[in-house]
Amino acid sequence: YVCLDSQFASEKLGSGLFWTLLTLAKNDKEKKEYFTKWGKLFEDYVLNRLDDSFFSFTHYKNPQRKNGEELTDYVLRINDDLIVFEVKNSILSDQVKYGGDAQLLKDTLIEKFLKKGQLATAINDLLHNTSVLPSMNSFAQLGSAHVFPILVCREPFATMPKICGLLSDEFLRYCRRYIKARRPRVHRLTVMSMDDFERMLVLISNGKSLKSMVKEYQATNEAGAQSFHNYLIGAAKRMGGSLSVRDAASNDFLLESQACWQAHGLAGR
């Protein structure tokens, strides 16, 4: 047999499979258990891919505090700089995305993807709190270093222009609240989808530095108006390759962005 539409097959094996299996749950308890296990599967895949790509660098998968509580999902050290990954399996309902209630949309995004400053408090503990594992205490000495936070999420909506900027702005507000010291510098939040994550790893395998990509993206995106997806397309072109903007996933991303803007009275922007 020959697959005539690889994009359709990919969707059916990804989000399509997720919703199909969800219909088999008999009650709310099974649905909750299913969401939890699917989230763990999603997180494990991302972290294993990071292990494969950065095995030669100092890194910590699911680092924990002394009390056994998880600090964050993944910490990567490159020279004196830290890249901190948080992986979120959360999804948004159509009512939240397209219902036209901007405040509900903002509140839900912050609740699901920032978890009341979860990443900011993790970075503060990682850098300054002696309650973390002894092997990580050396990070507290990196006074001149930089911290680059990255959010990898299954919900493409969260990676859209302006939406990713909103999440980054709220993240910085949490940083000002929870991170007391001015050094190391904590940069804006980079938000990427699973597709973006995979594309990013392709560029890394072809010689592009993760740290340079994040720095370039943030340097040109202070207003939060550009998605990491669009940055990757430009980065690939500058390297002499391409990440097609005409594939089905990119087209769906554009259509969903337009639907969101129209629902919230921002059509034409």
Side-chain angles (χ1 to χ4, degrees):
Y1 296 94
V2 177
C3 176
L4 299 179
D5 191 335
S6 59
Q7 181 62 38
F8 174 77
S10 175
E11 288 294 321
K12 292 301 289 182
L13 290 172
S15 59
L17 177 62
F18 172 82
W19 293 111
T20 299
L21 293 177
L22 183 61
T23 62
L24 302 179
K26 298 176 182 178
N27 50 52
D28 290 343
K29 181 180 178 181
E30 287 191 359
K31 286 183 179 180
K32 184 177 180 180
E33 183 179 3
Y34 172 68
F35 271 106
T36 300
K37 290 183 177 179
W38 188 276
K40 186 65 168 61
L41 183 67
F42 177 75
E43 178 182 316
D44 285 349
Y45 175 78
V46 172
L47 302 191
N48 288 337
R49 292 283 280 141
L50 288 172
D51 271 349
D52 292 341
S53 299
F54 299 104
F55 62 89
S56 61
F57 292 91
T58 300
H59 61 274
Y60 299 86
K61 182 193 292 187
N62 300 122
Q64 297 181 336
R65 297 179 174 89
K66 286 183 177 180
N67 62 6
E69 181 182 295
E70 184 176 295
L71 190 65
T72 189
D73 291 322
Y74 201 90
V75 178
L76 175 66
R77 180 171 178 174
I78 300 179
N79 297 323
D80 283 345
D81 296 326
L82 301 180
I83 302 177
V84 183
F85 288 85
E86 190 70 26
V87 182
K88 295 296 183 189
N89 183 53
S90 300
I91 55 175
L92 300 175
S93 68
D94 287 347
Q95 176 60 35
V96 170
K97 290 189 285 188
Y98 310 119
D101 188 334
Q103 190 59 50
L104 175 63
L105 174 62
K106 179 179 178 179
D107 292 345
T108 306
L109 284 165
I110 294 172
E111 176 189 353
K112 286 183 175 290
F113 297 105
L114 298 182
K115 300 287 186 181
K116 298 181 179 180
Q118 179 187 51
L119 183 55
T121 55
I123 291 173
N124 181 67
D125 287 350
L126 180 66
L127 295 172
H128 307 295
N129 195 328
T130 57
S131 68
V132 298
L133 295 177
S135 61
M136 303 182 70
N137 285 346
S138 60
F139 290 154
Q141 308 303 318
L142 304 180
S144 61
H146 297 262
V147 179
F148 300 97
I150 295 177
L151 172 65
V152 182
C153 52
R154 193 166 68 85
E155 174 59 80
F157 188 90
T159 72
M160 291 179 358
K162 295 297 183 182
I163 298 296
C164 62
L166 182 151
L167 287 172
S168 185
D169 288 343
E170 292 300 319
F171 166 76
L172 289 180
R173 288 191 180 94
Y174 280 123
C175 287
R176 289 191 288 270
R177 182 186 306 175
Y178 295 120
I179 301 178
K180 306 305 179 184
R182 294 186 177 182
R183 294 288 182 180
R185 179 187 174 189
V186 180
H187 290 256
R188 291 176 61 86
L189 181 66
T190 297
V191 185
M192 64 181 72
S193 67
M194 177 56 78
D195 285 341
D196 298 333
F197 177 75
E198 296 286 6
R199 288 180 168 109
M200 178 189 74
L201 294 183
V202 170
L203 295 186
I204 290 172
S205 68
N206 282 278
K208 187 71 172 177
S209 160
L210 169 60
K211 189 169 71 172
S212 68
M213 278 192 282
V214 176
K215 289 179 70 173
E216 287 173 3
Y217 170 62
Q218 294 298 350
T220 59
N221 192 42
E222 292 186 2
Q226 181 186 21
S227 68
F228 190 66
H229 176 87
N230 289 341
Y231 163 78
L232 287 174
I233 293 171
K237 289 181 178 178
R238 289 191 291 274
M239 291 179 68
S242 68
L243 293 173
S244 175
V245 298
R246 299 183 181 276
D247 61 21
S250 297
N251 188 58
D252 290 345
F253 181 76
L254 174 61
L255 293 176
E256 187 165 18
S257 299
Q258 291 174 335
C260 166
W261 295 330
Q262 291 170 356
H264 293 277
L266 300 174
R269 294 192 180 187

